[in-house]
Structure formats: structure tokens, C-alpha cells
């Protein structure tokens, strides 16, 4: 099992306690949402097996993978295996999810784009049945 507890570039932050994640994930906002920079950036750390629900960003999103291995999947497409150094550009209004593999921590910077278009619409969880097939 890959562990990143001592090799994360940024502080892993606080445990996320909403209903939009399966498993434990942590968030440290590096650049808050504001009207000065208009580009929120969060460091998201997923424990092995953790993932977020399907969701849509009204303005799009960019993921910069900084550690571990994880998945990114758009609706109707096969899941992509992600590793350190990968960059994912997610167009606005594309239904997707991302999270760790079963045996590795996964860390990425999540950059919200075009935030003036709106926020995130959270949808259904990624089922265990779906995830276990990856």
C-alpha cells in the first residue's frame, strides 16, 4: 500500500465531513474563493479507496496530481488511472468523479475555473459495485 502521510507537498488539511465522499478525504484550501484572484485552489488528500460522488462544475476544473495513484472518470467514458504529475482538464458541465485507488493514497490540487459561472452540483455516489470493477 502506498502511503503519503509524510510526503505530501502541502498540509493535508481537515477531514471532509459532508455527504459527498465515500471514505476519508481531507481538504486544505490554498487559495480561498474570493473576488481578488477568482481562482480557488484546494489540496485534496484521499485515503486508499476514498472517492467523491459524481458531480458537475458549472465553470470547469483542473486537477494537478501531486502524489499517489487515483482515478478520474467522466460519465460514459472508461476511468483513467492517474499518477503524480498528471494534469486533468475538466470542461464545464461534464459529469465526473475522482478518488484514490484501493491500495494507494491520492493527492491532487483542485483548481476551480470560471467560478463566476457557478459552483459544484453534487450528484449520486460512485457505487461500490462500479468502483470495485476498476
Amino acid at each position: 500500500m502506498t502511503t503519503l502521510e509524510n510526503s505530501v507537498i502541502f498540509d493535508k488539511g481537515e477531514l471532509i465531513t459532508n455527504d459527498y465522499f465515500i471514505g476519508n478525504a481531507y481538504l486544505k484550501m490554498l487559495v480561498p474563493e474570493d473576488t481578488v484572484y477568482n481562482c480557488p485552489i484546494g489540496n485534496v488528500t484521499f485515503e486508499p479507496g476514498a472517492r467523491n460522488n459524481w458531480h458537475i462544475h458549472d465553470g470547469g476544473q483542473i486537477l494537478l496530481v501531486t502524489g499517489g495513484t487515483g482515478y478520474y472518470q467522466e460519465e460514459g467514458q472508461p476511468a483513467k488511472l492517474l499518477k503524480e504529475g498528471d494534469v486533468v482538464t475538466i470542461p464545464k458541465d461534464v459529469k465526473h468523479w475522482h478518488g484514490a485507488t484501493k491500495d494507494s493514497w491520492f493527492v491532487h490540487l483542485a483548481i476551480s475555473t470560471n467560478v463566476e459561472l457557478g459552483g459544484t452540483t453534487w450528484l449520486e455516489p460512485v457505487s461500490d459495485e462500479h468502483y470495485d470493477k476498476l
Side-chain angles (χ1 to χ4, degrees), residues 95-106:
K95 184 177 178 181
H96 68 282
W97 69 272
H98 32 103
T101 62
K102 293 177 192 176
D103 61 352
S104 176
W105 286 68
F106 178 58

Side-chain angles (χ1 to χ4, degrees), residues 112-126:
S112 298
T113 58
N114 305 300
V115 294
E116 70 280 0
L117 298 177
T120 303
T121 302
W122 290 101
L123 304 166
E124 72 275 9
V126 176

Side-chain angles (χ1 to χ4, degrees), residues 8-131:
V8 175
I9 297 169
F10 301 103
D11 185 36
K12 76 177 182 181
E14 302 296 320
L15 180 66
I16 297 170
T17 59
N18 60 39
D19 293 330
Y20 307 130
F21 288 76
I22 294 173
N24 289 332
Y26 305 83
L27 174 64
K28 172 69 174 179
M29 288 306 296
L30 304 175
V31 177
E33 186 167 347
D34 62 19
T35 57
V36 176
Y37 298 105
N38 199 29
C39 184
I41 302 172
N43 185 62
V44 185
T45 303
F46 297 85
E47 290 185 3
R51 60 210 183 259
N52 53 31
N53 287 6
W54 289 96
H55 59 285
I56 296 168
H57 299 282
D58 296 336
Q61 185 180 50
I62 299 169
L63 304 178
L64 305 176
V65 181
T66 59
T69 55
Y71 297 114
Y72 167 77
Q73 185 174 23
E74 293 180 4
E75 184 177 44
Q77 301 296 318
K80 296 178 183 178
L81 185 65
L82 301 178
K83 59 187 180 343
E84 185 176 326
D86 285 341
V87 176
V88 180
T89 53
I90 306 164
K92 66 179 189 151
D93 300 325
V94 170
K95 184 177 178 181
H96 68 282
W97 69 272
H98 32 103
T101 62
K102 293 177 192 176
D103 61 352
S104 176
W105 286 68
F106 178 58
V107 185
H108 65 57
L109 298 180
I111 303 168
S112 298
T113 58
N114 305 300
V115 294
E116 70 280 0
L117 298 177
T120 303
T121 302
W122 290 101
L123 304 166
E124 72 275 9
V126 176
S127 71
D128 290 340
E129 179 182 42
H130 179 88
Y131 182 81

